[in-house]
PDB file of all heavy atoms in Angstrom:
ATOM      1  N   GLN Y 295      60.696  52.942   2.736  1.00  0.00           N
ATOM      2  CA  GLN Y 295      61.755  53.305   3.641  1.00  0.00           C
ATOM      3  C   GLN Y 295      62.401  52.117   4.374  1.00  0.00           C
ATOM      4  O   GLN Y 295      63.599  52.049   4.489  1.00  0.00           O
ATOM      5  CB  GLN Y 295      61.236  54.327   4.647  1.00  0.00           C
ATOM      6  CG  GLN Y 295      62.318  54.993   5.476  1.00  0.00           C
ATOM      7  CD  GLN Y 295      63.294  55.807   4.577  1.00  0.00           C
ATOM      8  OE1 GLN Y 295      62.915  56.726   3.899  1.00  0.00           O
ATOM      9  NE2 GLN Y 295      64.573  55.401   4.560  1.00  0.00           N
ATOM     10  N   LEU Y 296      61.587  51.222   4.872  1.00  0.00           N
ATOM     11  CA  LEU Y 296      62.159  50.057   5.579  1.00  0.00           C
ATOM     12  C   LEU Y 296      62.992  49.207   4.679  1.00  0.00           C
ATOM     13  O   LEU Y 296      64.055  48.681   5.090  1.00  0.00           O
ATOM     14  CB  LEU Y 296      61.014  49.228   6.209  1.00  0.00           C
ATOM     15  CG  LEU Y 296      60.242  49.838   7.389  1.00  0.00           C
ATOM     16  CD1 LEU Y 296      59.076  48.931   7.778  1.00  0.00           C
ATOM     17  CD2 LEU Y 296      61.196  50.012   8.568  1.00  0.00           C
ATOM     18  N   GLY Y 297      62.572  49.063   3.401  1.00  0.00           N
ATOM     19  CA  GLY Y 297      63.343  48.298   2.494  1.00  0.00           C
ATOM     20  C   GLY Y 297      64.651  49.017   2.157  1.00  0.00           C
ATOM     21  O   GLY Y 297      65.707  48.396   1.993  1.00  0.00           O
ATOM     22  N   LEU Y 298      64.586  50.358   1.990  1.00  0.00           N
ATOM     23  CA  LEU Y 298      65.766  51.115   1.728  1.00  0.00           C
ATOM     24  C   LEU Y 298      66.785  51.012   2.852  1.00  0.00           C
ATOM     25  O   LEU Y 298      67.986  50.872   2.625  1.00  0.00           O
ATOM     26  CB  LEU Y 298      65.389  52.594   1.462  1.00  0.00           C
ATOM     27  CG  LEU Y 298      64.578  52.877   0.229  1.00  0.00           C
ATOM     28  CD1 LEU Y 298      64.052  54.303   0.240  1.00  0.00           C
ATOM     29  CD2 LEU Y 298      65.397  52.648  -1.023  1.00  0.00           C
ATOM     30  N   ASN Y 299      66.287  51.058   4.082  1.00  0.00           N
ATOM     31  CA  ASN Y 299      67.173  50.938   5.225  1.00  0.00           C
ATOM     32  C   ASN Y 299      67.857  49.599   5.234  1.00  0.00           C
ATOM     33  O   ASN Y 299      69.062  49.484   5.536  1.00  0.00           O
ATOM     34  CB  ASN Y 299      66.361  51.084   6.560  1.00  0.00           C
ATOM     35  CG  ASN Y 299      65.811  52.476   6.700  1.00  0.00           C
ATOM     36  OD1 ASN Y 299      66.212  53.430   6.007  1.00  0.00           O
ATOM     37  ND2 ASN Y 299      64.865  52.651   7.601  1.00  0.00           N
ATOM     38  N   LEU Y 300      67.104  48.542   4.893  1.00  0.00           N
ATOM     39  CA  LEU Y 300      67.680  47.184   4.879  1.00  0.00           C
ATOM     40  C   LEU Y 300      68.668  47.032   3.758  1.00  0.00           C
ATOM     41  O   LEU Y 300      69.737  46.363   3.890  1.00  0.00           O
ATOM     42  CB  LEU Y 300      66.542  46.167   4.745  1.00  0.00           C
ATOM     43  CG  LEU Y 300      66.898  44.688   5.044  1.00  0.00           C
ATOM     44  CD1 LEU Y 300      67.487  44.575   6.448  1.00  0.00           C
ATOM     45  CD2 LEU Y 300      65.630  43.847   4.957  1.00  0.00           C
ATOM     46  N   CYS Y 301      68.384  47.649   2.616  1.00  0.00           N
ATOM     47  CA  CYS Y 301      69.310  47.625   1.480  1.00  0.00           C
ATOM     48  C   CYS Y 301      70.665  48.232   1.888  1.00  0.00           C
ATOM     49  O   CYS Y 301      71.727  47.704   1.576  1.00  0.00           O
ATOM     50  CB  CYS Y 301      68.749  48.426   0.316  1.00  0.00           C
ATOM     51  SG  CYS Y 301      68.011  47.443  -0.952  1.00  0.00           S
ATOM     52  N   GLU Y 302      70.582  49.379   2.556  1.00  0.00           N
ATOM     53  CA  GLU Y 302      71.823  50.076   2.971  1.00  0.00           C
ATOM     54  C   GLU Y 302      72.588  49.222   3.980  1.00  0.00           C
ATOM     55  O   GLU Y 302      73.797  49.125   3.920  1.00  0.00           O
ATOM     56  CB  GLU Y 302      71.445  51.443   3.552  1.00  0.00           C
ATOM     57  CG  GLU Y 302      72.607  52.387   3.692  1.00  0.00           C
ATOM     58  CD  GLU Y 302      72.133  53.808   3.966  1.00  0.00           C
ATOM     59  OE1 GLU Y 302      70.944  53.992   4.331  1.00  0.00           O
ATOM     60  OE2 GLU Y 302      72.947  54.737   3.817  1.00  0.00           O
ATOM     61  N   LYS Y 303      71.852  48.620   4.912  1.00  0.00           N
ATOM     62  CA  LYS Y 303      72.485  47.823   5.945  1.00  0.00           C
ATOM     63  C   LYS Y 303      73.187  46.598   5.360  1.00  0.00           C
ATOM     64  O   LYS Y 303      74.306  46.244   5.756  1.00  0.00           O
ATOM     65  CB  LYS Y 303      71.445  47.354   6.938  1.00  0.00           C
ATOM     66  CG  LYS Y 303      71.963  46.481   8.048  1.00  0.00           C
ATOM     67  CD  LYS Y 303      70.829  46.037   9.018  1.00  0.00           C
ATOM     68  CE  LYS Y 303      71.350  45.097  10.050  1.00  0.00           C
ATOM     69  NZ  LYS Y 303      70.219  44.631  10.950  1.00  0.00           N
ATOM     70  N   LEU Y 304      72.539  45.948   4.382  1.00  0.00           N
ATOM     71  CA  LEU Y 304      73.091  44.727   3.812  1.00  0.00           C
ATOM     72  C   LEU Y 304      73.990  44.985   2.588  1.00  0.00           C
ATOM     73  O   LEU Y 304      74.660  44.022   2.124  1.00  0.00           O
ATOM     74  CB  LEU Y 304      71.940  43.808   3.388  1.00  0.00           C
ATOM     75  CG  LEU Y 304      71.006  43.320   4.502  1.00  0.00           C
ATOM     76  CD1 LEU Y 304      69.868  42.489   3.878  1.00  0.00           C
ATOM     77  CD2 LEU Y 304      71.753  42.518   5.549  1.00  0.00           C
ATOM     78  N   GLY Y 305      74.001  46.171   2.099  1.00  0.00           N
ATOM     79  CA  GLY Y 305      74.738  46.440   0.880  1.00  0.00           C
ATOM     80  C   GLY Y 305      74.114  45.720  -0.318  1.00  0.00           C
ATOM     81  O   GLY Y 305      74.814  45.204  -1.176  1.00  0.00           O
ATOM     82  N   ALA Y 306      72.801  45.664  -0.348  1.00  0.00           N
ATOM     83  CA  ALA Y 306      72.103  44.920  -1.378  1.00  0.00           C
ATOM     84  C   ALA Y 306      72.201  45.567  -2.720  1.00  0.00           C
ATOM     85  O   ALA Y 306      72.391  46.779  -2.847  1.00  0.00           O
ATOM     86  CB  ALA Y 306      70.614  44.754  -0.993  1.00  0.00           C
ATOM     87  N   ASP Y 307      72.108  44.755  -3.780  1.00  0.00           N
ATOM     88  CA  ASP Y 307      72.190  45.271  -5.165  1.00  0.00           C
ATOM     89  C   ASP Y 307      70.868  45.867  -5.628  1.00  0.00           C
ATOM     90  O   ASP Y 307      70.865  46.754  -6.466  1.00  0.00           O
ATOM     91  CB  ASP Y 307      72.557  44.088  -6.116  1.00  0.00           C
ATOM     92  CG  ASP Y 307      73.928  43.561  -5.775  1.00  0.00           C
ATOM     93  OD1 ASP Y 307      74.930  44.286  -5.903  1.00  0.00           O
ATOM     94  OD2 ASP Y 307      73.998  42.367  -5.410  1.00  0.00           O
ATOM     95  N   LEU Y 308      69.768  45.362  -5.120  1.00  0.00           N
ATOM     96  CA  LEU Y 308      68.471  45.810  -5.638  1.00  0.00           C
ATOM     97  C   LEU Y 308      67.387  45.619  -4.608  1.00  0.00           C
ATOM     98  O   LEU Y 308      67.376  44.614  -3.908  1.00  0.00           O
ATOM     99  CB  LEU Y 308      68.106  45.021  -6.909  1.00  0.00           C
ATOM    100  CG  LEU Y 308      66.791  45.315  -7.589  1.00  0.00           C
ATOM    101  CD1 LEU Y 308      66.831  46.705  -8.238  1.00  0.00           C
ATOM    102  CD2 LEU Y 308      66.506  44.280  -8.680  1.00  0.00           C
ATOM    103  N   LEU Y 309      66.479  46.602  -4.521  1.00  0.00           N
ATOM    104  CA  LEU Y 309      65.273  46.486  -3.709  1.00  0.00           C
ATOM    105  C   LEU Y 309      64.075  46.338  -4.642  1.00  0.00           C
ATOM    106  O   LEU Y 309      63.907  47.122  -5.562  1.00  0.00           O
ATOM    107  CB  LEU Y 309      65.078  47.735  -2.859  1.00  0.00           C
ATOM    108  CG  LEU Y 309      63.696  47.892  -2.180  1.00  0.00           C
ATOM    109  CD1 LEU Y 309      63.448  46.827  -1.172  1.00  0.00           C
ATOM    110  CD2 LEU Y 309      63.608  49.265  -1.523  1.00  0.00           C
ATOM    111  N   LEU Y 310      63.263  45.323  -4.407  1.00  0.00           N
ATOM    112  CA  LEU Y 310      62.029  45.109  -5.137  1.00  0.00           C
ATOM    113  C   LEU Y 310      60.854  45.225  -4.151  1.00  0.00           C
ATOM    114  O   LEU Y 310      60.927  44.713  -3.014  1.00  0.00           O
ATOM    115  CB  LEU Y 310      61.971  43.737  -5.772  1.00  0.00           C
ATOM    116  CG  LEU Y 310      62.949  43.460  -6.921  1.00  0.00           C
ATOM    117  CD1 LEU Y 310      62.908  41.956  -7.263  1.00  0.00           C
ATOM    118  CD2 LEU Y 310      62.617  44.287  -8.119  1.00  0.00           C
ATOM    119  N   ALA Y 311      59.777  45.890  -4.553  1.00  0.00           N
ATOM    120  CA  ALA Y 311      58.600  46.015  -3.747  1.00  0.00           C
ATOM    121  C   ALA Y 311      57.389  45.889  -4.617  1.00  0.00           C
ATOM    122  O   ALA Y 311      57.349  46.364  -5.736  1.00  0.00           O
ATOM    123  CB  ALA Y 311      58.572  47.373  -3.035  1.00  0.00           C
ATOM    124  N   THR Y 312      56.347  45.174  -4.119  1.00  0.00           N
ATOM    125  CA  THR Y 312      55.107  45.049  -4.851  1.00  0.00           C
ATOM    126  C   THR Y 312      53.946  45.574  -3.976  1.00  0.00           C
ATOM    127  O   THR Y 312      54.028  45.524  -2.772  1.00  0.00           O
ATOM    128  CB  THR Y 312      54.822  43.580  -5.256  1.00  0.00           C
ATOM    129  OG1 THR Y 312      54.962  42.740  -4.089  1.00  0.00           O
ATOM    130  CG2 THR Y 312      55.732  43.116  -6.341  1.00  0.00           C
ATOM    131  N   ASP Y 313      52.899  46.068  -4.634  1.00  0.00           N
ATOM    132  CA  ASP Y 313      51.757  46.601  -3.904  1.00  0.00           C
ATOM    133  C   ASP Y 313      50.850  45.458  -3.500  1.00  0.00           C
ATOM    134  O   ASP Y 313      51.144  44.277  -3.774  1.00  0.00           O
ATOM    135  CB  ASP Y 313      51.005  47.642  -4.755  1.00  0.00           C
ATOM    136  CG  ASP Y 313      50.306  47.085  -5.994  1.00  0.00           C
ATOM    137  OD1 ASP Y 313      50.674  45.975  -6.417  1.00  0.00           O
ATOM    138  OD2 ASP Y 313      49.383  47.699  -6.494  1.00  0.00           O
ATOM    139  N   PRO Y 314      49.745  45.721  -2.768  1.00  0.00           N
ATOM    140  CA  PRO Y 314      48.927  44.597  -2.189  1.00  0.00           C
ATOM    141  C   PRO Y 314      48.467  43.543  -3.194  1.00  0.00           C
ATOM    142  O   PRO Y 314      48.449  42.355  -2.849  1.00  0.00           O
ATOM    143  CB  PRO Y 314      47.778  45.366  -1.524  1.00  0.00           C
ATOM    144  CG  PRO Y 314      48.385  46.642  -1.074  1.00  0.00           C
ATOM    145  CD  PRO Y 314      49.335  46.996  -2.210  1.00  0.00           C
ATOM    146  N   ASP Y 315      48.048  43.922  -4.376  1.00  0.00           N
ATOM    147  CA  ASP Y 315      47.616  42.895  -5.347  1.00  0.00           C
ATOM    148  C   ASP Y 315      48.732  42.562  -6.319  1.00  0.00           C
ATOM    149  O   ASP Y 315      48.531  41.837  -7.265  1.00  0.00           O
ATOM    150  CB  ASP Y 315      46.359  43.361  -6.083  1.00  0.00           C
ATOM    151  CG  ASP Y 315      46.551  44.624  -6.901  1.00  0.00           C
ATOM    152  OD1 ASP Y 315      47.269  45.520  -6.452  1.00  0.00           O
ATOM    153  OD2 ASP Y 315      45.960  44.682  -7.996  1.00  0.00           O
ATOM    154  N   SER Y 316      49.926  43.057  -6.041  1.00  0.00           N
ATOM    155  CA  SER Y 316      51.142  42.648  -6.712  1.00  0.00           C
ATOM    156  C   SER Y 316      51.115  42.767  -8.256  1.00  0.00           C
ATOM    157  O   SER Y 316      51.593  41.951  -8.986  1.00  0.00           O
ATOM    158  CB  SER Y 316      51.493  41.188  -6.357  1.00  0.00           C
ATOM    159  OG  SER Y 316      52.843  40.902  -6.553  1.00  0.00           O
ATOM    160  N   ASP Y 317      50.499  43.879  -8.687  1.00  0.00           N
ATOM    161  CA  ASP Y 317      50.577  44.216 -10.123  1.00  0.00           C
ATOM    162  C   ASP Y 317      51.330  45.509 -10.352  1.00  0.00           C
ATOM    163  O   ASP Y 317      51.371  46.034 -11.467  1.00  0.00           O
ATOM    164  CB  ASP Y 317      49.170  44.269 -10.716  1.00  0.00           C
ATOM    165  CG  ASP Y 317      48.349  45.438 -10.201  1.00  0.00           C
ATOM    166  OD1 ASP Y 317      48.764  46.068  -9.224  1.00  0.00           O
ATOM    167  OD2 ASP Y 317      47.231  45.690 -10.774  1.00  0.00           O
ATOM    168  N   ARG Y 318      51.902  46.035  -9.310  1.00  0.00           N
ATOM    169  CA  ARG Y 318      52.725  47.264  -9.411  1.00  0.00           C
ATOM    170  C   ARG Y 318      54.040  47.015  -8.628  1.00  0.00           C
ATOM    171  O   ARG Y 318      53.994  46.459  -7.513  1.00  0.00           O
ATOM    172  CB  ARG Y 318      51.948  48.429  -8.780  1.00  0.00           C
ATOM    173  CG  ARG Y 318      52.696  49.719  -8.746  1.00  0.00           C
ATOM    174  CD  ARG Y 318      51.856  50.864  -8.171  1.00  0.00           C
ATOM    175  NE  ARG Y 318      50.664  51.073  -9.008  1.00  0.00           N
ATOM    176  CZ  ARG Y 318      50.153  52.253  -9.291  1.00  0.00           C
ATOM    177  NH1 ARG Y 318      50.722  53.347  -8.823  1.00  0.00           N
ATOM    178  NH2 ARG Y 318      49.092  52.374 -10.059  1.00  0.00           N
TER     179      ARG Y 318
END
Side-chain angles (χ1 to χ4, degrees):
Q295 192 61 62
L296 290 174
L298 293 171
N299 294 345
L300 195 53
C301 259
E302 195 167 15
K303 178 182 177 182
L304 299 176
D307 297 297
L308 180 68
L309 167 65
L310 292 171
T312 50
D313 68 339
D315 62 323
S316 202
D317 67 350
R318 176 177 300 220

